[in-house]
Amino acid sequence: MSPAEDLAPLKKIGLMGGISSSVAISSQKFAEELGTSPQTASRRLISLENEGLITRTIRTDGQYIMITKSGEHLLRKEYADYKSIFERETGYFRLEGKVVSGLGEGRYYVSIPEYLIQFKEKLGFEPYPGTLNLKLDPAGTEARRKLNNLRWTEITGFTSNDRTFGSAGCLKCSIGGHMCAIIVPGRSHYPEDTVEIISEVRLREEEGLTDGDIITVEVEYND
C-alpha cells in the first residue's frame, strides 16, 4: 500500500487503542471498521505488518495488534500536517474590495449612544459616525464566508422609550493600520459580496478614498 492507503487502517487501529497497547482485532471486526470485506481487511493488516507499521501476534484467542514507532511516526506526521492547516496560532484573512456607496445600515448603530458605549467597551475604540462600504472581489467573497467561523463580538440590542433596538455582530479588522470592525446588523439584507466597516477614523478622508478605489481589509485570528 502507499502511505496514503496506510493511513486509514492505521488510524482505525489507533482509535481502537493500538498506540499504547496491543488490541485484539479480528479480520471481521476490522472489516466492519473499514467498511470492506474481511479478505481485504486481512490483506491490509498483513501489508501494514510487512511495512513495519504494526506488530501482529497470533494467539489461541485471536490476533493482537499494536502500532510500531514507525506507524506512530506516520500518524503523528499526518496530525501535524492537519494541525498546521486548521490550528495555526495566528493568521490573517485578507479581503480585497472596491469602495462603494452602500445601504448604510451600520451607520445607524454608530449614531446611538447605547451602541457607542458597547463599541468602546467591546471593540476598544469609539467609531467615527459613519461607515465604509466595500464590494468584494471573488476571492474576498470566499474569504468573507470563512469569517463566519470566527468568534464575532455581539453588540446586544436594547429597549428604550418603548422602542426596540436590534443587535449586531462585529469582527475586528484593520485597514491601513487603523482599528476597524466589520459590522453586520442583526437583520441585514446585504449580499454576501458586500461588507460594511466601522472605524476609529473617517477612512475616506484618512486614506484618501473615493468610490471605485481598491483597498484591503485584514482580519487577524488567533486559535
Side-chain angles (χ1 to χ4, degrees):
M1 288 189 294
S2 68
E5 292 175 319
D6 289 336
L7 281 169
L10 202 60
K11 184 176 75 172
K12 289 294 183 184
I13 296 169
L15 290 171
M16 297 169 76
I19 284 280
S20 56
S21 62
S22 294
V23 291
I25 304 177
S26 68
S27 295
Q28 180 64 46
K29 181 180 179 182
F30 198 51
E32 292 172 0
E33 291 288 338
L34 295 178
T36 187
S37 68
Q39 293 79 9
T40 299
S42 179
R43 285 196 298 270
R44 289 191 175 180
L45 287 173
I46 293 170
S47 178
L48 290 174
E49 183 182 23
N50 290 338
E51 292 173 30
L53 301 176
I54 64 170
T55 59
R56 200 162 59 110
T57 304
I58 307 299
R59 302 178 186 171
T60 54
D61 58 345
Q63 63 178 350
Y64 286 77
I65 294 170
M66 186 172 182
I67 295 173
T68 65
K69 287 293 184 183
S70 295
E72 182 178 347
H73 175 75
L74 185 61
L75 287 175
R76 286 188 179 278
K77 182 180 182 304
E78 186 73 1
Y79 168 72
D81 287 344
Y82 279 113
K83 189 173 181 180
S84 69
I85 294 172
F86 296 111
E87 297 184 12
R88 290 174 291 183
E89 292 185 358
T90 302
Y92 290 90
F93 283 110
R94 291 179 174 83
L95 289 67
E96 193 167 273
K98 180 170 60 177
V99 176
V100 296
S101 297
L103 298 174
E105 290 187 24
R107 183 176 301 174
Y108 168 79
Y109 289 80
V110 294
S111 64
I112 298 175
E114 288 85 351
Y115 287 131
L116 290 175
I117 292 171
Q118 293 189 63
F119 288 138
K120 192 169 183 179
E121 290 179 349
K122 298 179 179 181
L123 300 178
F125 67 91
E126 185 172 327
Y128 168 83
T131 59
L132 184 73
N133 292 270
L134 301 178
K135 186 174 180 62
L136 303 175
D137 61 17
T141 302
E142 182 58 34
R144 169 63 186 86
R145 294 191 189 104
K146 294 178 180 178
L147 297 185
N148 293 329
N149 296 321
L150 301 183
R151 183 177 298 174
W152 289 61
T153 298
E154 182 184 6
I155 305 300
T156 56
F158 58 92
T159 300
S160 178
N161 296 325
D162 296 324
R163 183 179 175 186
T164 299
F165 295 81
S167 63
C170 287
L171 186 64
K172 291 167 82 171
C173 61
S174 65
I175 296 176
H178 300 293
M179 293 177 66
C180 305
I182 297 171
I183 183 168
V184 178
R187 296 181 179 178
S188 174
H189 301 291
Y190 278 170
E192 62 181 7
D193 65 347
T194 302
V195 295
E196 189 168 10
I197 307 290
I198 59 175
S199 175
E200 60 182 342
V201 298
R202 187 172 188 265
L203 288 168
R204 282 183 179 265
E205 183 177 295
E206 291 290 327
E207 296 294 314
L209 301 172
T210 58
D211 283 1
D213 287 346
I214 304 297
I215 62 171
T216 300
V217 180
E218 288 193 341
V219 180
E220 181 178 352
Y221 62 88
N222 295 282
D223 291 325

